[in-house]
Each structure stands twice: as structure tokens, then as C-alpha cells.
Amino acid sequence: MKRLLTVVILVLGIAMLAAACGDDDDNGDESAAPSGTIVEVATDGGFTTLVTAIDAAGLTETLNGEGPFTVFAPTDEAFAALPEGTLDSLLADTDALTNVLTYHVASGDLKAADVVELDSVETLQGESIDIAVDGDTVTLNGTATVTQTDIEASNGTIHVIDAVLTPPAG
């Protein structure tokens, strides 16, 4: 009798734990569909400077489009670390700004697991970004470190980087 009571308590405990976890899905898949496009997710994610630059370059419609895209998104701090006057110069020169921004975007939806298998990735700008993996650290062009990965959007994925990438001259 004591053993039966223990089993009943254990089963009730597991049932209560499952209910508390909200696992009301038959297949156990708790993932939700991404809530917006690359630009919408970036706006909600606090990438103020990046979103301002995307708008200034006229790329909002493109990055709100079907995609899929992979964006290596510099933080506001990364933009602030540019030499004095650089950001203002870029914002005043749509062609140069577009060149820099499209160098941060690759065609296709590359998750972190895909990126670490690559030596480089071609960007929408036309040049490639070199990828180096050292343990858990992923570096782009030897200058930018990926600090957060796999931020999903309805039309692709965002990976956060700590520096602004500069396309090769020419």
C-alpha cells in the first residue's frame, strides 16, 4: 500500500510539473514562428543605429522582403566605435552606406551551425566575409566577433557582431 501511494504521488507530481511548464502541445515543440521581418526584429531588438542606417540607405523594403537573408548586425556600440565622423559621412553618402550595409548581409538563412562550417560567405555587396572559428569564438574578417547567434526573423536570421565590417577597397 505504501508503494502504491508513492507511485500515485510521483505520477501526480509529474502531471503538475507538466501542467506548470505549459506543455499542452501534442508534439512537444514549443517553438513559435518568428514575429517579424529582419528590420522589425532589429527595431525591437535595440539596433537603433543599424535600423537608422538601413532606412537612410533605402534598404528597408529590401530587408522587409521575402528573403531569406542572414544579417551580421553590428550593435549600436559597434557603430559608436567607428572613427569620429565616419558614421555621419556614411549617412550622408547613400552609395557608400549601401555598400557597407549590404556587406553585412548574405543571401539565404544561415544559422550558427551553418556559419561555423564555412570559411567565408558571399555578401549581397558582392565581396566575401572571411569566417574563422576558434573554439566557441567566431570572428569575421579578423575584426568582428559574433556575440549572439540565431535571432530568428520571418525572412531570415540575425547574428550580432561587435564591430562594423568594412568591404575591401575597390
Side-chain angles (χ1 to χ4, degrees):
M1 182 69 164
K2 199 175 199 182
R3 186 176 173 134
L4 178 61
L5 183 58
T6 302
V7 170
V8 169
I9 291 172
L10 183 60
V11 169
L12 287 173
I14 291 170
M16 288 173 41
L17 182 60
C21 290
D23 189 9
D24 56 359
D25 204 84
D26 288 342
N27 65 8
D29 182 10
E30 291 294 317
S31 61
S35 60
T37 66
I38 296 268
V39 175
E40 292 166 341
V41 170
T43 299
D44 293 343
F47 294 91
T48 307
T49 308
L50 178 61
V51 172
T52 298
I54 289 169
D55 188 51
L59 295 172
T60 302
E61 186 175 328
T62 299
L63 292 174
N64 274 335
E66 187 174 320
F69 303 106
T70 299
V71 176
F72 297 99
T75 61
D76 286 348
E77 292 79 14
F79 279 104
L82 289 170
E84 188 173 331
T86 302
L87 181 58
D88 290 335
S89 294
L90 286 171
L91 291 171
D93 183 346
T94 304
D95 290 339
L97 182 60
T98 300
N99 192 45
V100 168
L101 291 176
T102 55
Y103 189 62
H104 289 79
V105 182
S107 182
D109 188 4
L110 300 172
K111 303 295 186 205
D114 303 315
V115 172
V116 298
E117 296 295 322
L118 301 172
D119 293 327
S120 66
V121 63
E122 187 172 338
T123 67
L124 294 185
Q125 182 264 354
E127 298 290 337
S128 293
I129 296 171
D130 292 328
I131 300 169
V133 180
D134 184 14
D136 291 340
T137 303
V138 177
T139 306
L140 306 179
N141 289 350
T143 59
T145 301
V146 178
T147 59
Q148 187 176 355
T149 61
D150 295 342
I151 300 171
E152 293 189 35
S154 60
N155 62 343
T157 299
I158 298 171
H159 302 295
V160 182
I161 58 175
D162 66 356
V164 176
L165 300 171
T166 306

